[in-house]
Amino acid sequence: MKVDAHIEYQTLNEVPALVRAAEEIGVDGVWFSETSHDPFLGATLAAEHTRRISIGTSVAIAFTRSPTVLAHTAWDLAALSGGRFILGLGSQVKAHITRRFGLSWDPPAPKLREAVEAIRSVWTSWRDGTPLQYRGRFYTLTLMTPFFTPPPHGADIPIVTAGVNPAMCRAAGAAADGFQVHPLHTVAYLREVIRPAIEVARRKSGRSELPFSVAASVFVVTGADEPAIAASRERVRQSIAFYASTPSYRGVLAHHGWDAVGADLSALAARGRWAAMPELVTNAMLETIAVVGPAAEIGTRIVGRYAGLADRVGIYEPFAPDADAPWRSLIAAARSSASS
């Protein structure tokens, strides 16, 4: 089991020190999200300032960029990192695509699958010198000349996709090299919904024999003492309430019979009553979704919960070099598990 760190920063100047610190303590991979920054800029600095760890986007929004643009960016990052780059793509929800980015909305699962296929078609054209020919429902790519073809390199570029609902899991299984599990999940949902949907799609698409990695981002309630754990509990409760208010994520709640809570959270969010939302997240919900325990034990608890279900795990909070006990605990537990 590999251990990942989520890198957040105020300015790009902070990235080199953060990723070097993550590499030094033994993290296997660092990931950059597309929230308040472009994830590819942080990934570029990480590639330049590390030597061992994998570097990925978790996630870059696929639908706001053409497949050819994504192909170029990932190609260059794979070359710069010496083959350590992972292209992680996600769809975002309808309101953000239409209202924040000003774009039209299409069915996300089939479009994300096409995006992955189209990107690979561009790479194949570059590698083999063959005409670019991709024709799908959402993308048509038929022009590539030597002038626009980058220098070759031998690096493979894995593409992983993210999602919550079965349709997005099937899209990953049919086209991608891995799946990034949203932090709003439970082990039961991962075991009973996500993984079966992926495997069905892999069999149907003839990809069962190809490598595939499942990476889980995990809500963690932890701390060095009880006051710290209590504060962590409230932060995680707020995060769960925020994500659980999203209607498209409600399948996770429904799997456990928490449908009514999801509806109530959505109603509060629609009225802007953010402060009232965490109160609806019960202790049972919190402890089913999050891994809870003291910092020294949290790694063993995470590895124990996700053994056999995830190939990579990461703590869903920004990596901080001055608060590295949870990461050290997780790294130690993962290494111990691998050697036993």
Side-chain angles (χ1 to χ4, degrees):
M1 186 179 289
K2 294 185 177 181
V3 176
D4 293 325
H6 177 61
I7 304 298
E8 288 191 8
Y9 53 91
Q10 295 297 312
T11 69
L12 286 166
N13 308 72
E14 302 164 24
V15 171
L18 285 169
V19 296
R20 284 195 297 263
E23 186 169 62
E24 286 168 5
I25 70 167
V27 163
D28 296 297
V30 291
W31 297 85
F32 295 85
S33 62
E34 185 160 11
T35 51
S36 55
H37 300 284
D38 185 307
F40 293 111
L41 297 180
T44 301
L45 286 170
E48 184 180 11
H49 290 275
T50 59
R51 295 293 177 266
R52 173 186 58 80
I53 56 178
S54 60
I55 300 151
T57 52
S58 178
V59 291
I61 309 305
F63 303 159
T64 60
R65 303 171 174 89
S66 82
T68 305
V69 168
L70 288 166
H72 271 288
T73 303
W75 187 270
D76 285 343
L77 282 168
L80 178 64
S81 64
R84 294 181 289 131
F85 181 69
I86 302 170
L87 178 59
L89 299 174
S91 63
Q92 244 314 340
V93 297
K94 182 178 180 179
H96 285 266
I97 294 297
T98 60
R99 295 167 53 199
R100 183 157 66 95
F101 292 104
L103 300 172
S104 60
W105 177 251
D106 296 303
K111 187 171 185 177
L112 188 60
R113 175 176 177 173
E114 269 199 21
V116 173
E117 294 170 347
I119 291 165
R120 289 212 179 100
S121 292
V122 174
W123 290 340
T124 298
S125 174
W126 292 344
R127 288 190 177 109
D128 301 343
T130 54
L132 175 61
Q133 285 291 331
Y134 184 84
R135 297 180 184 273
R137 173 183 172 187
F138 307 102
Y139 301 106
T140 299
L141 306 177
T142 60
L143 176 64
M144 185 60 62
T145 68
F147 185 76
F148 297 103
T149 300
H153 60 64
D156 290 328
I157 311 172
I159 303 178
V160 300
T161 61
V164 176
N165 295 319
M168 299 300 283
C169 301
R170 291 191 292 269
D177 303 301
F179 184 74
Q180 294 176 313
V181 182
H182 193 281
L184 186 71
H185 72 271
T186 67
V187 166
Y189 191 81
L190 176 55
R191 181 188 298 112
E192 298 161 16
V193 177
I194 292 176
R195 291 202 66 112
I198 290 170
E199 291 308 317
V200 166
R202 278 167 58 76
R203 287 195 300 271
K204 287 185 176 180
S205 60
R207 295 175 56 85
S208 293
E209 302 305 315
L210 297 177
F212 193 91
S213 176
V214 173
S217 185
V218 183
F219 283 125
V220 169
V221 175
T222 191
D225 51 34
E226 284 304 319
I229 292 175
S232 175
R233 182 182 295 270
E234 292 314 304
R235 287 194 302 271
V236 171
R237 197 186 300 274
Q238 290 173 0
S239 295
I240 292 173
F242 169 74
Y243 282 122
S245 70
T246 304
S248 57
Y249 298 165
R250 204 169 290 164
V252 178
L253 304 183
H255 194 69
H256 292 269
W258 299 328
D259 313 59
V261 176
D264 290 342
L265 286 168
S266 295
L268 288 172
R271 298 198 300 270
R273 297 185 56 195
W274 306 105
M277 290 166 57
E279 299 174 9
L280 300 187
V281 179
T282 67
N283 287 335
M285 291 176 63
L286 179 77
E287 292 174 10
T288 302
I289 295 169
V291 181
V292 182
E297 300 174 16
I298 201 67
T300 300
R301 298 189 185 189
I302 294 171
V303 170
R305 182 178 285 196
Y306 287 90
L309 289 175
D311 306 289
R312 312 180 70 106
V313 291
I315 298 170
Y316 186 71
E317 62 180 65
F319 175 75
D322 56 346
D324 59 2
W327 280 273
R328 290 190 186 277
S329 174
L330 179 53
I331 292 163
R335 300 293 182 269
S336 175
S337 174
S339 62
S340 61

